[in-house]
Amino acid sequence: MQTNFSLAQLADPQTAESEKILRACVHCGFCTATCPTYVLLNDELDSPRGRIYLIKEMLEHDRPATAEVVKHIDRCLSCLACMTTCPSGVHYMHLVDHAREHIEKTYRRPLLDRWLRSILAAVMPYPERFRLALGLALVGRPLAPVLSLLGLKRIAAMLRLAPMRIPPQAPSSKRRVFPAEGTSRGRVALLDGCVNPVLAPDINESAIRVLNRHGIDVVLAEGAGCCGSLTHHMGREADALASARANVDAWTREIDEGLDAILITTSGCGTTVKDYGFMLRTDPAYAAKAAVISGLARDISEYLATLDLPRAASSNGVTVAYHSACALQHGQKITREPKELLSKCGFIVKDVAEGHLCCGSAGTYNILQPQLATKLRDRKIANIELLEPDVIAAGNIGCMTQIAAGTRIPVLHTVQLVDWATGGPAPDGVGNVSFAAAPVSSAGRGMSTGGSAPIASTGGRFVDADGSADR
């Protein structure tokens, strides 16, 4: 794509990066086939290609964002399916992030929109505030239908997403170090995060148990908190970078004591942490440190795939529909590892049709764009229920919350199922299933030199969306 930025504009690092991204686009349109909003709306301006044109015009002419531009950029889920599809390597993520920052600086949103976004940014990244807000939401939940009829659909959506029961704080929430069982073979930091410990503390509890069971020391770094993705995707760059710097400082202190990896159980957070090196590239005090942190960041499934987890002796009979979170498959290019782990643990793993399409969660998207989010959720659930699974597995708390709101099938994190199959407690709602997993031996505690296990295994099987099975 031809661009016409001035030399003065290109002196700004963000604009220079966006100009490079714009030039990579060749207008081919492959991205339209995999864009969820284009699939739903069939509007060119609600496709990545259309949004790229809008962003180019806005940035190139240094114009304040208009209501029309904001409408179409706001409808973008940042699912990044377009980046998986793009044959030219257009880094749409960095481009749309820049556009959102520009919108935040130059566009004055309507009062209710400003208020709602401010509330989300002030509450969700802070666990104690978020827990209090969920308690208030439970009280207001019965009012959701009335609010929806009054046109307050976003407020209604926010209330409907509140869980009927807020889980108690995890027993280990006050501890910071979790030593390995037996001989220690490694040391990792685990991101506690902001939403996970409130909505689903069992996820990180499961991760800690699995890691400790296989010889890995786990530390929750003092001072680490929200990764910054929630505010980053709302264009509040100062808030996002403050969160990133706090985490970089916290994890750098742990690196000084020896750290093999930084593990993340929420794929949306993982995509952001892996991008810290880019986000802080112009900060002389943090650029080098942030690059190191990004290099150490791993999704929990990515890391577990390198460990010698015991292979199940036989299938446990539990059928799992694996939902591949967008941030994992498109943002981090992690597609096989979670399914390989589940298959190795004895689960019958089935791929979901249209697995490349977002479920509609996308951070705060299901609150800010509830109608589109609900359509995407219902489409996702319809494809999942065709498989008749016993349980749905996902690697992102946002996806889990979104999908669980529309189905009675239990929705669990991949690591909860791995924990259960390797000696941990049964998660809620899965019934009574016995496992024949091999016991963890001292040989199974270290890092495997052979990489992740193949899907073909005696412990389980992986079934493609078309019904064919790999044995």
Side-chain angles (χ1 to χ4, degrees), residues 175 178-188 202-218 263 300 303-304 307-311 341 345 347 414-427 435 437-447:
R175 294 175 58 195
F178 303 84
E181 297 175 13
T183 304
S184 173
R185 304 300 176 108
R187 184 175 184 269
V188 300
D202 285 351
I203 294 173
N204 275 4
E205 292 286 292
S206 292
I208 291 167
R209 282 194 297 266
V210 172
L211 291 164
N212 286 171
R213 200 178 296 133
H214 293 87
I216 306 299
D217 296 322
V218 180
L263 303 188
I300 184 67
Y303 184 79
L304 289 180
L307 299 183
D308 245 347
L309 268 65
R311 187 180 299 280
L341 286 168
C345 288
F347 296 101
T414 303
V415 79
Q416 290 177 285
L417 292 171
V418 173
D419 178 34
W420 180 32
T422 57
F435 287 93
V440 180
S441 65
S442 58
R445 294 185 187 277
M447 301 291 286

Side-chain angles (χ1 to χ4, degrees), residues 220-336:
L220 304 181
E222 196 72 48
C226 176
C227 69
S229 62
L230 286 169
T231 48
H232 184 52
H233 296 312
M234 285 195 281
R236 296 171 176 258
E237 204 61 9
D239 293 341
L241 293 180
S243 295
R245 290 186 184 101
N247 286 338
V248 169
D249 285 338
W251 288 325
T252 299
R253 288 192 292 270
E254 295 299 333
I255 290 172
D256 293 339
E257 297 186 29
L259 204 61
D260 301 320
I262 297 164
L263 303 188
I264 302 147
T265 56
T266 298
S267 63
C269 301
T271 301
T272 296
V273 175
K274 287 183 177 183
D275 204 41
Y276 277 2
F278 177 84
M279 291 168 63
L280 292 167
R281 71 195 184 284
T282 61
D283 185 333
Y286 280 88
K289 293 188 292 184
V292 171
I293 295 301
S294 291
L296 285 171
R298 300 285 184 275
D299 181 75
I300 184 67
S301 66
E302 187 181 12
Y303 184 79
L304 289 180
T306 67
L307 299 183
D308 245 347
L309 268 65
R311 187 180 299 280
S314 61
S315 171
N316 56 52
V318 177
T319 298
V320 177
Y322 175 69
H323 164 69
S324 187
C326 295
L328 207 54
Q329 63 168 315
H330 303 308
Q332 301 182 51
K333 309 302 181 190
I334 296 171
T335 55
R336 294 187 63 84

Side-chain angles (χ1 to χ4, degrees), residues 319-323 339 348-352 386-389 461-465:
T319 298
V320 177
Y322 175 69
H323 164 69
K339 293 182 287 189
I348 300 167
V349 185
K350 292 187 176 182
D351 247 346
V352 179
L386 286 173
L387 302 174
E388 299 183 347
R461 59 189 178 123
F462 170 66
V463 183
D464 287 315

